[in-house]
Amino acid sequence: LLHCSDFESFGMVLIEAQSLGVKVFSTPTGVAEEMKNSTTFTNNGEATHEMIKFLRSGSDELPLRQYKVEETVDSYLKLGL
C-alpha cells in the first residue's frame, strides 16, 4: 500500500492493509511510524527507492501487530473528535 497523506489522525487504512498482509509504504503520519513492518518516507525519491528495494527482496513478512478498536477510539478522543 502506498499511502501519501499529509495528515492522518490514526490511519485505519494502514492497519487494515497490514492485517491483510500488505506491505505499507507511508509518509510519517498517523500510526505509520509505530507500525513494525511499515516503511515511511518523506519524498518521492525515497519512496521509490524503498519500494523497489522491497520488491527485489521477495519478502513476504507480515502481519505483525493487531490493533484494538479501543486504541482507535483513544486516538480520536485525543483529537477532540
Side-chain angles (χ1 to χ4, degrees):
L1 171 71
L2 176 60
H3 187 263
C4 304
S5 180
D6 288 331
F7 172 79
E8 283 291 335
S9 57
F10 183 79
M12 284 302 295
V13 66
L14 304 175
I15 304 306
E16 291 169 358
Q18 185 182 53
S19 71
L20 295 171
V22 175
K23 174 70 175 169
V24 174
F25 296 90
S26 177
T27 52
T29 60
V31 73
E33 291 185 299
E34 297 174 30
M35 294 172 61
K36 290 187 179 185
N37 200 7
S38 74
T39 300
T40 57
F41 60 88
T42 56
N43 61 60
N44 291 342
E46 190 179 348
T48 302
H49 171 77
E50 291 298 327
M51 288 186 286
I52 290 171
K53 186 169 74 172
F54 173 75
L55 291 170
R56 287 185 175 155
S57 75
S59 180
D60 62 353
E61 49 198 62
L62 291 178
L64 291 175
R65 181 170 179 224
Q66 298 295 316
Y67 287 87
K68 297 179 181 178
V69 71
E70 291 84 4
E71 290 180 65
T72 304
V73 172
D74 289 342
S75 294
Y76 280 107
L77 288 174
K78 287 178 187 174
L79 291 173
L81 299 174

